[in-house]
Amino acid sequence: MKIAFISDIHGNAVALEAVLQDIKKKEIDKVYVLGDICYRGPEPEKSLSLVRHLHTKVIKGNADEWVVRGVNEGEVAAQALEMMNKERDWTFERLQSGDIDYLNTLPHSLAIEENGVKIHAFHATPSSLFDIVSPEAKEEDIKEKLMSKVDSHIYFYGHIHKPYIRYINGRVVMNIGSTGLPFDGLTKASYGLLKINESGISTSIERVDYDVEKVIKQYQDSGYPNAEMMINILRNASL
């Protein structure tokens, strides 16, 4: 069995379509989505439609929460708050009421078992949509923040846009990176792949080429607020 985990699409439907084509080419059996679907990209409505048409389990990310109710003070740097709410409003205006209801009712985590392999998936941590656990975090912090709520074989999350895999106490902790807005310097969409067979399991970070310049033009042509900054992030794959 092959299972893909995708996250942090951020309204980049071009990157999402490239990932879905890669998933189809690799004959992956299942796909799960770990949040941040629409916000901060030029095609929020198409990105959400593509996710909903997967007919799979989807969980909420912090950006999905922001689309529903706006960005609150203390959740981002004070100097960024006004602009991020302008971006949020731009996104909100392009979605239907049913889309907002869908985002609002998404669960915060996913606990599943596939062929005897227990999986716990969430956006940032099991108890927060906003906390940050970096690739360089101490082992004790990872165990406390990511692994203490549910006993699983594998823990998947997104949020930080920097993919990595670590092995702790015989368990796998994996950040699957960002499909639409990577921050690790590689301008390729990212997703996580889990393979389960008779001999055991394997995990990998998959990277997929997509038309970055097409997305840049979408930002420019759509009247997206803060387009210049988002284009710079997209070109450099870095904040």
Side-chain angles (χ1 to χ4, degrees):
M1 172 175 277
K2 292 186 282 188
I3 307 170
F5 293 81
I6 64 178
S7 185
D8 295 273
I9 298 155
H10 288 287
N12 187 344
V14 174
L16 177 57
E17 286 181 316
V19 164
L20 294 178
Q21 289 171 5
D22 193 67
I23 285 170
K24 182 178 181 180
K25 181 179 69 176
K26 291 174 179 170
E27 299 182 335
I28 291 171
D29 303 291
K30 290 185 178 183
V31 182
Y32 294 110
V33 182
L34 307 190
D36 281 9
I37 301 165
C38 308
Y39 176 62
R40 305 211 89 177
E43 291 192 287
E45 64 276 45
K46 184 174 181 180
S47 299
L48 182 56
S49 177
L50 287 168
V51 167
R52 295 185 71 173
H53 278 88
L54 292 174
H55 302 292
T56 189
K57 292 181 179 179
V58 181
I59 62 176
K60 182 185 286 188
N62 62 296
D64 306 311
E65 180 74 3
W66 283 339
V67 171
V68 171
R69 49 86 164 162
V71 185
N72 292 337
E73 288 186 16
E75 292 176 341
V76 298
Q79 64 269 26
L81 182 62
E82 182 180 359
M83 177 56 76
M84 290 187 71
N85 269 314
K86 286 182 180 178
E87 295 179 68
R88 176 265 174 188
D89 292 345
W90 186 93
T91 302
F92 186 90
E93 289 166 2
R94 281 153 180 79
L95 300 176
Q96 304 298 314
S97 60
D99 297 327
I100 304 303
D101 291 341
Y102 173 82
L103 294 174
N104 191 37
T105 56
L106 289 174
H108 286 208
S109 64
L110 175 65
I112 55 177
E113 186 169 333
E114 299 282 3
N115 291 8
V117 179
K118 294 179 180 179
I119 300 164
H120 193 203
F122 37 86
H123 181 69
T125 73
S127 57
S128 171
L129 296 177
F130 299 93
D131 284 350
I132 293 174
V133 179
S134 74
E136 300 82 20
K138 295 179 180 179
E139 185 173 301
E140 294 77 15
D141 290 338
I142 289 180
K143 288 194 292 186
E144 173 60 29
K145 293 181 178 180
L146 302 183
M147 305 172 70
S148 63
K149 300 295 184 183
V150 177
D151 182 27
S152 295
H153 298 110
I154 309 177
Y155 300 84
F156 289 98
Y157 76 111
H159 190 51
I160 62 172
H161 298 216
K162 294 181 178 181
Y164 72 88
I165 302 173
R166 285 176 67 169
Y167 306 94
I168 298 174
N169 293 349
R171 302 291 192 255
V172 181
V173 176
M174 183 172 179
N175 187 281
I176 59 178
S178 173
T179 291
L181 205 62
F183 291 169
D184 64 344
L186 186 60
T187 55
K188 295 185 178 186
S190 176
Y191 72 95
L193 179 60
L194 168 64
K195 296 180 181 179
I196 307 172
N197 54 40
E198 296 81 2
S199 60
I201 65 172
S202 64
T203 54
S204 60
I205 304 293
E206 305 295 309
R207 303 307 291 258
V208 182
D209 287 311
Y210 73 95
D211 192 343
V212 176
E213 291 303 318
K214 181 178 179 179
V215 183
I216 287 171
K217 191 171 190 307
Q218 288 176 340
Y219 274 116
Q220 294 168 334
D221 294 346
S222 65
Y224 186 84
N226 209 22
E228 185 177 343
M229 191 193 84
M230 297 309 300
I231 288 168
N232 187 57
I233 293 172
L234 200 68
R235 275 208 172 108
N236 296 294
S238 178
L239 284 172

